[in-house]
Amino acid sequence: MTGNHFSLILLSTNRCNADCDYCFENKTRDRLTLEQLDVIVDKVLTYMEEQGIASLTLHWQGGEAMLLSPDWYAQAHERIGTAAAARGKTVSHGLQSNMLLYGPQWKELIAGMFGNTVSTSVDYPNRHRRLRHRSPDSYNGIWSEKVAMARADGIDVKAISVLNQGTLEIGAERFYHHLVDELGVTDFQVNTPFPGGEANAAKDGLPLPVDELARFHCELADIWLERGYREGVRVGPFDELLNVFTHRDACLPCIWGQNCADEIVSIDARGYVGQCDCWVTSYPEYYFGNIFESTSFGELLGNSRPRRDFYERPVRLMEQDCIRCEFLSICHGGCPVRTYTVHKTLFEKDPYCGLYKSLFAHMRDAATRLLRPQPSGIELV
Amino acid sequence: MSSPIYNVPLALAADYPGQRLVVRTDDPAALVARWPTPPVDWLCVQLVGLPDRVAPLIHWGRGLAIDIVLADPVADYARLYRYAKLIDNHPVRVSLPVVEGIDKAVRLAASLHFAVKLEPGQPSAISELAEILDLYLHQATTPQPIDYFHEVLLGWLHDSPVELWTVLDEDPTGFRHVAEDGGERFPPRLAGASGDPEDFVRRWQEMLIETGAECQDCAYRDVCGGYFKWPNPDYDCAGVKQLFATLRAAADELRSDLARYATTPGSHHDR
């Protein structure tokens, strides 16, 4: 059992140094002060005491988290650690960053606070990630340089890659070759885009065509199984789906879970509380409340009508065809934000349902092949 | 012989110190308030009435089993999502009567990684049971047991068949139901039974044989033990026998597959 744990996505700042076309966030100039952080941590720890939760993971994001200094985070780390220890709680930290501001001044902080690991994003081809008024190519150049620097400093850099129409056009082989062989990214996850936040031309074509996405995912999975699986390359969600279908413990991405409302919550730099970073800056109609305006974080969560919609979502989806799906135990109707941004309601299934079904069936079949004894002695890793 | 397991209401749990208990309640908050730490003798908490707020149970009594009684599986199956988080810290089982339309409840329970206990009684929904059996036997995304199918399959697989009375917690020798007034009763399905609970099943089986019931020549007597003949001995067992036949065939096939796998080059046994 896994569950004496609470996960919080904390936006230390809503400000960003990038200007990506498909960003779902409503970026403001707000940033947390250490005093505000103390208030948040105090209320979250109280909530954990009330619920009997022993441990917390803070997923630091933005905007761009590195817009606050390493010294700010070092002080935050100390203050959080002291507060948690006083209450018998343990806290771990994760960092998500575009890495554009990485430099040697971050090395010690990342090692000490973030387990020497950073998660970043890389798209291929990059059509949408950019600095303000500059091209995606210039973004690529800076990103590559910074990531190389971080790796040279011994930092484990993991990546999320958001697919775009260009990715589907170049195909899985070129995509895999670029990320793994050319960039040396050997631990990454592919994500599907959604038209979150303010509308613009880049989001007009979303969601991407399900059949093309399905073909891309299945081809990419096959390439990974053939060339990366036994070489220690990790590609999400394929690796965890393989764990599911080979009956091992699995940690599936948040889009596939019984109910993400049970697993995670997000607080932005203004103190607004939302389901996750996809929601907390952009959808006021789904704010759960403001932690600075509430005396109790537990009451804020418990009394939130918008949050009840997230709890109600899977219940309502079971009145539709999800209940008959053989993959219900994996998917549970998919991602609320992907649903909301397309259907303008929480109470429909994920628009990428067709992709998920194709991919699940594909990985199930791959797992079946792997589980068969091989004469040559090739085994499940 | 070990002492029986008592199914007791929360208000009377303190009257059974040192006994193996299933504590039933419709008020998780009251349970946690009364017992901040569950005694080691407790086997299970049984939730009746589908209480809305189960948050107090999520981080309480880690490892203690929880049984959710889904009395109306057709109307209430979707409410199982409200209990999804319990699985983080507890083995969870859903107990539901076999009626027409239960397949959605079973599918959802299985997808939430809850074990399922079918309470078949003398079922008429045979085709539904057959569909659920197929789900249990063949769907890769059904990771948890669906009883009674699971225990029966395992029993035949390992040549140690277990009677349904035991699988379904209905043998009064091993399971006692304590009512709200403190009175000990036969398990609810055996309401109307009388005599010494210690040998109820034996007496029932003897009666069936003496009266010439079809049990006499039944190939599945070792597992059924006359279960499906209670309360109406004239119940037509053709449907449930077909289900037993499917389970038996599955056990035989599994045993054969395992034996073949053990001798296959490249298998873990072939070293």
Side-chain angles (χ1 to χ4, degrees), chain B residues 9-152:
Chain B
L10 172 61
L12 300 178
D15 296 346
Y16 291 82
Q19 300 290 335
R20 297 185 298 160
L21 297 186
V22 172
V23 177
R24 67 179 186 270
T25 182
D26 62 358
D27 190 343
L31 168 69
V32 172
R34 174 64 183 85
W35 299 94
T37 303
V40 296
D41 303 290
W42 286 20
L43 301 178
C44 177
V45 166
Q46 187 177 62
L47 294 179
V48 297
L50 288 181
D52 272 338
R53 292 187 174 269
V54 291
L57 290 178
I58 292 172
H59 299 289
W60 170 90
R62 268 189 108 206
L64 182 61
I66 293 179
D67 180 32
I68 301 167
V69 176
L70 192 61
D72 189 347
V74 178
D76 293 331
Y77 70 94
R79 292 175 66 179
L80 288 176
Y81 263 110
R82 295 177 185 165
Y83 303 88
K85 190 68 175 168
L86 290 174
I87 201 74
D88 281 4
N89 288 313
H90 305 274
V92 178
R93 183 180 76 177
V94 177
S95 295
L96 62 163
V98 173
V99 296
E100 293 287 345
I102 64 161
D103 65 303
K104 290 182 180 179
V106 174
R107 286 176 188 279
L108 181 53
S111 76
L112 294 171
H113 297 242
F114 296 165
V116 173
K117 178 189 162 197
L118 299 169
E119 295 173 341
Q122 293 184 305
S124 58
I126 298 298
S127 60
E128 197 114 11
L129 277 174
E131 193 180 318
I132 294 168
L133 178 55
D134 185 71
L135 185 83
Y136 164 68
L137 289 174
H138 300 120
Q139 186 159 299
T141 51
T142 307
Q144 292 295 337
I146 296 178
D147 275 314
Y148 61 96
F149 300 146
H150 186 68
E151 289 297 320
V152 168

Side-chain angles (χ1 to χ4, degrees), chain A residues 1-5 51-54 244-245 247 257-259 262-263 302-303 308 311-312 314-316 318-320 323-330 332-333 364 371-375 377 379, chain B residues 53 55-56 58-60 62-63 77-91 103-105 107-108 110-114 131 139-143 261 264-268 271:
Chain A
M1 283 158 203
T2 60
N4 201 354
H5 190 80
Q51 300 294 317
I53 300 170
V244 168
F245 289 113
H247 308 294
Q258 294 149 353
N259 197 332
D262 277 332
E263 305 302 330
N303 295 337
R308 280 200 285 280
Y311 277 106
E312 193 62 18
V315 177
R316 295 269 293 272
M318 291 310 106
E319 298 166 1
Q320 302 170 31
I323 189 64
R324 294 265 166 226
C325 181
E326 67 176 296
F327 301 116
L328 176 61
S329 67
I330 302 171
H332 299 281
R364 178 198 59 206
L371 284 171
R372 289 200 188 107
Q374 301 296 321
E379 293 183 348
Chain B
R53 292 187 174 269
I58 292 172
H59 299 289
W60 170 90
R62 268 189 108 206
Y77 70 94
R79 292 175 66 179
L80 288 176
Y81 263 110
R82 295 177 185 165
Y83 303 88
K85 190 68 175 168
L86 290 174
I87 201 74
D88 281 4
N89 288 313
H90 305 274
D103 65 303
K104 290 182 180 179
R107 286 176 188 279
L108 181 53
S111 76
L112 294 171
H113 297 242
F114 296 165
E131 193 180 318
Q139 186 159 299
T141 51
T142 307
Y261 177 81
T264 301
S267 78
H268 288 145
R271 296 274 161 85

Side-chain angles (χ1 to χ4, degrees), chain A residues 243-260:
Chain A
N243 284 336
V244 168
F245 289 113
T246 54
H247 308 294
R248 296 190 284 191
D249 288 342
C251 183
L252 289 171
C254 61
I255 60 170
W256 300 323
Q258 294 149 353
N259 197 332
C260 55

Side-chain angles (χ1 to χ4, degrees), chain A residues 125-200:
Chain A
N126 177 16
R127 289 184 173 179
H128 302 299
R129 294 189 189 272
R130 63 177 78 238
L131 297 171
R132 196 177 307 276
H133 307 307
R134 296 178 68 178
S135 73
D137 282 342
S138 68
Y139 183 103
N140 294 345
I142 300 170
W143 183 88
S144 298
E145 176 193 331
K146 298 295 186 177
V147 168
M149 193 185 301
R151 286 210 182 109
D153 287 341
I155 293 170
D156 180 20
V157 180
K158 303 178 191 297
I160 293 170
S161 188
V162 179
L163 306 179
N164 58 59
Q165 187 61 46
T167 320
L168 303 184
E169 290 164 6
I170 65 167
E173 170 62 45
R174 271 188 65 192
F175 176 81
Y176 185 90
H177 175 67
H178 179 70
L179 258 72
V180 177
D181 303 328
E182 293 180 345
L183 293 182
V185 178
T186 56
D187 190 337
F188 66 95
Q189 174 170 300
V190 289
N191 277 10
T192 51
F194 56 93
E198 276 187 25
N200 60 30

